[in-house]
Amino acid sequence: MRLFFRLLVLFAVLLGLCLAVALYYVANPKLPAWSPVQQVHYLEQWSTADRETYYFTPQGTEVKGLHYDWFKALELPFSQQRFAAPEYLARFGFLIDPNQRATPNNPGNLPVGFARHQNPGSQDEFLDITCAACHTGELRFNGQALRIDGGSAQHVLPSSVPTLRGGSFGQALVASLTSTYYNPWKFERFARNVLGQDYDARHQQLRKDFKVSLDTFLKVAWNDTHRGLYPTEEGPGRTDAFGRIANASFGDAISPANYRVANAPVDYPQLWDMWTFDWVQWNGSAQQPMARNIGEALGVGATLNFFDANGQPLKGDARYPSSVRLRDLHLIEQTLQRLKPPAWPEELLGAVDKTQAAKGRELFTENCAGCHVPRSVQSEGRWVQHLKMLPVEFIGTDPGAADNIADHRFDLTALQWDPAELAQLDVQLQPTPAESLDLSKLSSAKGLAYITAFVGNRAYRDANIPTAERPDMDGFGLPIGVRELRAYKARPLAGIWATAPFLHNGSVPSIYQLLSPQDERATTFYKGTFEYDPRHLGYRTEAFANGFMFDTRITGNHNSGHEFRAGTRGNGVIGRLLQPEERWALLEYLKVLGGPLEAQLP
């Protein structure tokens, strides 16, 4: 009996040690080292004022009720270092300038895309993660940094699923929130930093409010973990955007039966010239800029209520209150219309071989222009580029994102929508359905279109925006158009040199590999560095401490398709085999395509 008791104690001790080790690594993620660069260089993509507007204009997102001053005051779990210290947030891949200082638009001296907002009638300031956080890039070379405004971010933002490898901002944030609440010494310091002279009067209320936000974070982390909603680890620079928005809008807010496995992460696309495209999203599913931006804000955390306090669905003009900020979303959209593609900086990345680039121009016309030079027409006072949509069976790239959007169905009957009421909304389904909508199995694209229409209508009324202003704010008077294609768009390639990695899921690290057959592409490579390879036009891929290993054999990560090789066109083959010298010539041309250096080619 005594032996059994001793074995039981030993087992308990070992289990406790294992749990302690696991908790340590969950709360102390393995992050890449960060060191400041000599200088951050900004290209002439737009004005300094436009850049500041884009970086720090809020859009109405709330990170699960997290207040801005709370975020600033958080400490790391095992030290008193500030969680929001720029040099710590930079280790997740968020962008800072070593010379940056607090400004009126960025009083917390936080990275790009970390803003704040107040809701009407409230004095609370919420942390507001904006589109700039995900759509701003940076390249490093020889100790210098090159900021790519509107480019692809490489941070590790969304997941709060705990893993021993760690590295996710969401996981680390939950760990800091938890340790702050349950460690009395940490909470004491936190409360005094947040409340100052109001400490005695508001200490208990702060603890209650903080617990509400913490419980929301923990609920989401547990839900995502035990349901296995995100089995394909996203890593730096990726998120399953449609999957996460659908799970938040249909699962969190309506019914757990609506949760769907999201296993198709996509890269954050570049934004220059986007306002000229006829359709946006990787699968060309959205048409109206405002509806797209409302959907993006909801996906990042803007509040949304479908039901009243008694759990009854909101109806009529009561649909649907949210924290979305229409005027700010419109301001961001207008600012992006002035954004130019980045021009290759010879003084930083090396001179362009113009003779080779001229040869590359001919190769581009022969092999690339058919897909990547869209037809342009003038409409509503702007030039509209009609982008070519390439069916999955032709382009051959990982089908997960397109298939999930086309196949996943959700039960929205709890919202009690009246089909006659839906018909009055500014939503155009293309093609027009032959049968009436079945709200018990609605696709994510259609469901989100109607939700954003209701949210937009309510937000326009709440903001007292005149009806006459709405077509312009919506974007060129466009309806909320919806398509569901098993296809990916071929976008124009100006500035493509600055947007690694490549394909919609970021599975090809450089343009040189993108021009090569699949069997010449890396099966695994490392992500999480900003170090640029100006020869191959991509980030460097060798292993480094705490780097993220991208495995193209995993579902959602496949690097197939878009191949130049011998064989019949289709099923992933899009052109003839390009010899290495032809690939190098094409790379030289892609450095200058759409920029001022293109005019200097012989």
Side-chain angles (χ1 to χ4, degrees):
M1 188 70 178
R2 183 175 298 176
L3 178 61
F4 175 77
F5 178 75
R6 288 177 177 175
L7 290 173
L8 190 64
V9 170
L10 179 61
F11 176 78
V13 169
L14 291 176
L15 183 64
L17 287 173
C18 291
L19 181 61
V21 170
L23 289 174
Y24 174 82
Y25 281 110
V26 167
N28 189 38
K30 299 177 181 178
L31 300 174
W34 178 85
S35 58
V37 293
Q38 298 172 24
Q39 183 179 349
V40 177
H41 300 266
Y42 298 89
L43 300 175
E44 295 181 1
Q45 293 180 260
W46 51 14
S47 69
T48 301
D50 283 340
R51 181 178 297 111
E52 182 80 1
T53 296
Y54 175 62
Y55 283 2
F56 301 114
T57 295
Q59 54 187 27
T61 66
E62 296 181 8
V63 186
K64 297 174 178 55
L66 185 63
H67 290 206
Y68 190 79
D69 55 353
W70 297 358
F71 183 68
K72 292 192 300 180
L74 280 177
E75 296 176 353
L76 298 182
F78 300 109
S79 77
Q80 295 185 31
Q81 180 186 345
R82 196 164 60 93
F83 183 90
E87 61 273 13
Y88 183 69
L89 294 180
R91 296 183 67 188
F92 295 100
F94 296 109
L95 299 182
I96 66 169
D97 187 325
N99 296 318
Q100 73 181 42
R101 298 291 181 271
T103 66
N105 285 339
N106 183 22
N109 196 30
L110 300 180
V112 172
F114 282 68
R116 72 201 197 284
H117 78 264
Q118 290 177 280
N119 293 324
S122 172
Q123 295 300 309
D124 295 327
E125 282 193 333
F126 292 96
L127 181 66
D128 192 315
I129 304 295
T130 81
C131 57
C134 298
H135 298 282
T136 307
E138 190 166 284
L139 313 175
R140 288 189 173 194
F141 185 65
N142 287 340
Q144 306 292 318
L146 184 65
R147 185 65 54 85
I148 308 297
D149 287 321
S152 306
Q154 295 301 310
H155 55 53
V156 189
L157 173 62
S159 180
S160 57
V161 175
T163 67
L164 295 185
R165 183 162 85 175
S168 165
F169 170 78
Q171 173 183 319
L173 178 59
V174 171
S176 283
L177 290 167
T178 304
S179 66
T180 295
Y181 183 79
Y182 288 104
N183 183 328
W185 295 277
K186 276 191 179 296
F187 194 85
E188 177 75 9
R189 290 192 299 270
F190 167 81
R192 290 193 179 278
N193 282 332
V194 169
L195 299 176
Q197 295 180 346
D198 294 333
Y199 173 83
D200 292 332
R202 297 177 55 196
H203 175 268
Q204 292 302 319
Q205 187 61 48
L206 172 64
R207 189 165 179 83
K208 292 178 182 178
D209 294 342
F210 188 89
K211 185 62 161 53
V212 171
S213 179
L214 173 61
D215 285 348
T216 304
F217 276 100
L218 292 175
K219 179 182 177 182
V220 170
W222 166 249
N223 183 72
D224 293 353
T225 302
H226 89 276
R227 294 181 187 276
L229 295 181
Y230 306 102
T232 301
E233 194 170 356
E234 290 150 315
R238 297 198 311 167
T239 184
D240 192 322
F242 256 98
R244 286 187 176 276
I245 292 173
N247 281 334
S249 300
F250 307 138
D252 295 346
I254 299 176
S255 168
N258 280 328
Y259 288 120
R260 298 290 180 269
V261 171
N263 58 0
V266 297
D267 255 20
Y268 301 115
Q270 63 268 30
L271 299 187
W272 49 83
D273 297 333
M274 177 188 62
W275 64 283
T276 67
F277 299 168
D278 55 347
W279 291 83
V280 295
Q281 305 293 15
W282 282 112
N283 68 330
S285 60
Q287 185 178 30
Q288 187 193 93
M290 182 58 80
R292 178 201 64 226
N293 294 338
I294 289 174
E296 182 267 334
L298 294 175
V300 181
T303 60
L304 174 63
N305 293 317
F306 289 132
F307 305 97
D308 63 20
N310 298 315
Q312 296 303 305
L314 298 172
K315 296 184 177 181
D317 287 347
R319 295 185 177 113
Y320 288 118
S322 74
S323 58
V324 168
R325 301 169 65 88
L326 295 184
R327 291 198 181 278
D328 284 329
L329 287 175
H330 183 51
L331 174 61
I332 293 170
E333 187 72 22
Q334 287 180 308
T335 304
L336 284 168
Q337 291 180 15
R338 295 188 289 271
L339 179 66
K340 299 176 183 177
W344 179 268
E346 291 188 294
E347 67 281 7
L348 291 174
L349 299 181
V352 172
D353 185 329
K354 295 182 175 59
T355 301
Q356 279 286 87
K359 295 178 182 176
R361 178 175 54 193
E362 296 176 4
L363 290 164
F364 181 88
T365 301
E366 173 195 346
N367 297 280
C368 311
C371 292
H372 289 289
V373 178
R375 180 173 59 91
S376 296
V377 298
Q378 196 160 19
S379 174
E380 300 293 334
R382 63 168 180 150
W383 282 99
V384 179
Q385 301 192 75
H386 291 277
L387 272 57
K388 191 168 184 177
M389 299 301 304
L390 302 175
V392 169
E393 63 267 20
F394 175 80
I395 191 66
T397 52
D398 191 300
D403 284 350
N404 286 354
I405 293 170
D407 293 338
H408 285 175
R409 293 293 182 268
F410 304 88
D411 185 354
L412 275 60
T413 54
L415 301 181
Q416 298 183 13
W417 287 346
D418 181 349
E421 192 174 18
L422 296 183
Q424 300 301 311
L425 298 173
D426 190 23
V427 175
Q428 291 186 8
L429 307 181
Q430 299 187 22
T432 303
E435 301 176 354
S436 58
L437 293 174
D438 184 348
L439 298 183
S440 69
K441 47 183 179 182
L442 206 60
S443 69
S444 59
K446 291 186 179 72
L448 289 170
Y450 288 116
I451 287 173
T452 55
F454 281 125
V455 168
N457 288 343
R458 174 67 183 266
Y460 274 111
R461 290 195 304 272
D462 289 350
N464 296 316
I465 296 172
T467 302
E469 292 185 28
R470 180 162 181 171
D472 177 61
M473 291 187 65
D474 280 344
F476 313 105
L478 291 169
I480 302 176
V482 180
R483 298 189 307 191
E484 293 166 338
L485 306 176
R486 295 180 194 274
Y488 298 114
K489 69 177 185 286
R491 63 181 298 151
L493 299 184
I496 192 67
W497 61 269
T499 63
F502 300 96
L503 295 184
H504 71 278
N505 61 351
S507 60
V508 179
S510 69
I511 296 181
Y512 187 86
Q513 289 196 26
L514 189 63
L515 298 176
S516 304
Q518 183 184 5
D519 59 11
E520 295 184 27
R521 297 172 183 171
T523 302
T524 61
F525 59 93
Y526 285 83
K527 295 183 65 177
T529 179
F530 288 100
E531 292 298 324
Y532 188 63
D533 177 355
R535 177 166 168 76
H536 295 87
L537 301 188
Y539 288 111
R540 299 187 63 131
T541 59
E542 60 266 29
F544 62 97
N546 296 331
F548 176 88
M549 191 184 79
F550 190 104
D551 189 340
T552 64
R553 296 165 294 191
I554 295 174
T555 298
N557 288 359
H558 301 318
N559 66 352
S560 56
H562 197 282
E563 287 188 84
F564 292 94
R565 64 174 172 83
T568 304
R569 299 293 187 271
N571 196 29
V573 180
I574 63 168
R576 66 172 178 82
L577 177 67
L578 298 172
Q579 298 302 317
E581 61 269 19
E582 293 178 307
R583 300 174 208 172
W584 295 123
L586 263 169
L587 262 59
E588 288 302 300
Y589 178 62
L590 292 176
K591 292 177 182 178
V592 303
L593 174 61
L597 291 175
E598 186 174 14
Q600 300 177 17
L601 299 185

